[in-house]
Amino acid sequence: MSLRSVLLVAGFALAALNLRPAIAGVSPLLDEIMDDVGLTPAGGGAITTVMVVCLGVFGPLTPLLARRFGLDRTLLAGLVVIAAGVSLRGLDGAPALYLGSALAATAIAVMNVSMPGIVKHHFPTRVHLMTGVYVSMVVGGAAISSAVVIPLEHATGYGWRGVSALLALPALLAALLWLPQALRRQERAANGPRPFATVLRSRVTWYVTALMGLQSLTFYVMLAWLPTIFLEAGLPADQAGYLLSLTNLVQVGATLAVPVLAGRRASQVPYVVGAGLLTVAGYLGVLLVPTTVPWFWMVVLGIGQGASFALALLIIALRPADPAAVTALSAVAQSVGYVIAAFGPLVFGFLRQVSGGWTVPLVTGLGVLVVQIVAGWFAGRPATLGKATL
């Protein structure tokens, strides 16, 4: 393998690793951030809410940037802006905290949409393999950041502001590794998107968007509420935290393996349906017997949710005929999808409040999963989203 190829793969993988730490690294530090900045619980929760909303709202900027500058330079800019955002939020005052968080999330939104197009452009014969690498790095980045921020704070003595600023270093390293790609001549016309009006007329677009949005919703619901569900079922707090870590860890393996297998077939329907059914089984275990072999339900849930996420992104990369169409489809599916997902934890919390328990929310989640499986059935069928079929 040439040095150029090594830098391409290393830069791509490290860029993907930076797509979640700016978000996932907030949660373990939230109590300290609230005390230091003087935020209410609602104000503290608004940090993550602002970031998730930005993931949905600013994704459509990507095709415009890709048309003007090219995908490679757009990705490079995203990495630099992430570094600037996480550094800014460590400054004094709530405005800097929210503005820095929003800036980092905006960059992540642009990079989220760019990555499937990058895969299609640089690895056209290895879409399934590199999608697996990309998604496993995204999930791994979230797991690593949430696990290390507190030990890193204790080891350095920097406090939450310093630790937040340290998250800029991996982004800057990824930008350095990706710089050779950005300096190459950019084929902007080839990488530019097809008109959104054309993409929006395709039924394939809306099947993929529904799959992306619903699997994100069911994931963020569990990410937000799973420890609380276990606590109220009678498990100790430390065990509840370990169980959430377990299901996140299992997702890393699922996101790496499933795209490699599913990408070899013309139809991804069996994999999408299977992943949905495993997620259903995980939800049922949490609903009916949360304290009986909970580790087993977390493994099942992790495989199902990790595979669903990876398959949604794999289908985004496979269905369009070229990188330009991938970018346009990715912008629609991820932008709409994350807006849908942002409402999930809020709605579940409201249902918990009005019903007095977790049965109604979890049954509602099972209903969403049924719709997700149906959407996945249509999205997973062989199709080519391009000029001839739009």
Side-chain angles (χ1 to χ4, degrees):
M1 183 180 287
S2 66
L3 177 61
R4 175 182 166 185
S5 298
V6 170
L7 289 175
L8 173 62
V9 174
F12 172 78
L14 191 54
L17 192 70
N18 279 276
L19 288 175
R20 291 297 178 272
I23 301 173
V26 170
S27 182
L29 299 168
L30 189 56
D31 285 344
E32 185 179 348
I33 293 172
M34 289 167 56
D35 289 341
D36 186 31
V37 182
L39 299 178
T40 64
I47 300 171
T48 301
T49 300
V50 165
M51 297 189 80
V52 175
V53 169
C54 285
L55 294 183
V57 171
F58 292 106
L61 292 175
T62 308
L64 303 176
L65 296 171
R67 181 182 290 278
R68 178 67 180 85
F69 302 107
L71 279 171
D72 291 342
R73 290 175 183 170
T74 298
L75 186 67
L76 177 67
L79 290 165
V80 173
V81 174
I82 285 177
V86 296
S87 299
L88 175 60
R89 73 182 181 189
L91 300 180
D92 190 35
L97 173 63
Y98 288 114
L99 180 59
S101 297
L103 191 63
T106 299
I108 292 169
V110 170
M111 291 174 63
N112 277 341
V113 174
S114 298
M115 292 299 272
I118 294 285
V119 171
K120 192 81 165 185
H121 178 63
H122 286 290
F123 313 102
T125 62
R126 296 183 176 88
V127 169
H128 56 297
L129 174 61
M130 297 312 295
T131 298
V133 171
Y134 148 47
V135 183
S136 64
M137 294 299 283
V138 172
V139 176
I144 292 170
S145 61
S146 61
V148 304
V149 287
I150 296 298
L152 190 61
E153 183 183 26
H154 293 162
T156 62
Y158 288 162
W160 75 266
R161 298 178 188 277
V163 170
S164 180
L166 286 176
L167 293 177
L169 296 180
L172 293 175
L173 177 58
L176 182 64
L177 291 176
W178 192 253
L179 187 60
Q181 311 306 321
L183 292 178
R184 294 174 60 218
R185 181 175 178 271
Q186 300 293 295
E187 299 177 1
R188 293 191 290 271
N191 282 349
R194 301 186 188 281
F196 272 114
T198 306
V199 173
L200 294 174
R201 287 197 295 268
S202 171
R203 286 179 295 179
V204 174
T205 298
W206 296 109
Y207 298 148
V208 175
T209 298
L211 173 62
M212 184 70 198
L214 295 176
Q215 67 81 26
S216 296
L217 185 151
T218 54
F219 166 77
Y220 278 108
V221 160
M222 283 299 187
L223 184 66
W225 291 113
L226 192 59
T228 303
I229 294 172
F230 279 131
L231 281 171
E232 294 187 10
L235 293 180
D238 58 346
Q239 189 173 349
Y242 294 148
L243 289 169
L244 179 60
S245 299
L246 173 61
T247 193
N248 288 333
L249 182 63
V250 170
Q251 288 180 41
V252 177
T255 53
L256 181 60
V258 171
V260 175
L261 299 173
R264 295 172 180 169
R265 301 185 58 169
S267 172
Q268 287 74 49
V269 169
Y271 294 92
V272 176
V273 172
L277 291 175
L278 285 171
T279 308
V280 167
Y283 264 69
L284 284 172
V286 173
L287 170 64
L288 300 176
V289 284
T291 59
T292 303
V293 290
W295 59 267
F296 174 76
W297 301 120
M298 291 304 93
V299 170
V300 171
L301 183 68
I303 295 173
Q305 291 191 321
S308 295
F309 179 45
L311 287 164
L313 292 173
L314 175 66
I315 291 170
I316 288 173
L318 287 177
R319 291 295 172 263
D322 54 59
V326 171
T327 304
L329 175 60
S330 181
V332 175
Q334 296 207 54
S335 298
V336 176
Y338 281 116
V339 170
I340 293 172
F343 288 98
L346 178 64
V347 171
F348 257 57
F350 174 76
L351 292 175
R352 164 65 178 83
Q353 181 177 332
V354 298
S355 69
W358 289 107
T359 299
V360 172
L362 289 170
V363 169
T364 302
L366 290 168
V368 173
L369 283 166
V370 171
V371 180
Q372 174 187 319
I373 291 170
V374 173
W377 177 281
F378 288 105
R381 296 182 302 177
T384 300
L385 195 157
K387 285 183 177 178
T389 60
L390 283 170

